[in-house]
Amino acid sequence: MTLFRRLARNQDGATIVEMAFALPIMIMMIWMILQFALVYRAVAGIQQALGEGARYATLCLTPTSTGCVAPTATAIRTKINDHVFGIGPGTFTVPVPTLVTAGTSRYYDLTVNYSQSTDMLIFPGPTVTVSRSKRVWVAGT
């Protein structure tokens, strides 16, 4: 009976057992934070690229006596693609913007899409899809 009591009070190795339970959960949480940080970085890059494309769309490239000639949709799309950063392992797409005329006004609807599949080390995680858009009014003839 004294051997049983002595073994019951012995705490040697308890820390290792507790760490064996906690460490996998902690590693998984750190990995999930890293996955969301990649998505957050990509969103920042999307916003930066969208802002650069919007700024470029508002420029008057060739001023004339009757007004301005706005950049083409392809040039705006190229500008957005050139200024994106932080893509990470995901897929980044920029549809070609279309010039819309509403009365005497003209505008581009710029859209940027990002999709990233996540993994949680052992099993696949959800696919995160982010889309941002901006309406840009442009000068024109």
Side-chain angles (χ1 to χ4, degrees):
M1 203 53 141
T2 59
L3 179 64
F4 178 71
R5 285 185 187 168
R6 193 174 68 201
L7 286 175
R9 287 188 209 147
N10 190 355
Q11 295 292 317
D12 293 344
T15 305
I16 294 290
V17 172
E18 290 172 2
M19 191 163 100
F21 284 118
L23 191 61
I25 295 169
M26 195 164 94
I27 290 172
M28 184 86 96
M29 287 177 56
I30 290 171
W31 184 254
M32 287 172 36
I33 290 169
L34 177 70
Q35 293 286 307
F36 287 120
L38 289 173
V39 171
Y40 182 76
R41 182 176 174 211
V43 168
I46 287 170
Q47 284 298 117
Q48 168 69 22
L50 194 58
E52 286 294 320
R55 185 195 68 75
Y56 183 69
T58 61
L59 294 179
C60 181
L61 295 180
T62 52
T64 64
S65 60
T66 58
C68 290
V69 176
T72 64
T74 307
I76 295 169
R77 182 177 187 235
T78 302
K79 184 64 90 170
I80 292 171
N81 279 323
D82 289 346
H83 284 87
V84 72
F85 69 89
I87 296 306
T91 305
F92 174 76
T93 56
V94 179
V96 177
T98 56
L99 185 61
V100 178
T101 303
T104 59
S105 302
R106 300 180 333 152
Y107 62 88
Y108 282 110
D109 280 329
L110 307 178
T111 304
V112 180
N113 302 311
Y114 179 75
S115 180
Q116 175 184 335
S117 58
T118 59
D119 71 80
M120 302 302 167
L121 291 176
I122 300 169
F123 54 89
T127 298
V128 177
T129 303
V130 178
S131 181
R132 297 284 187 264
S133 61
K134 187 177 281 197
R135 180 166 286 176
V136 181
W137 299 92
V138 296
T141 53

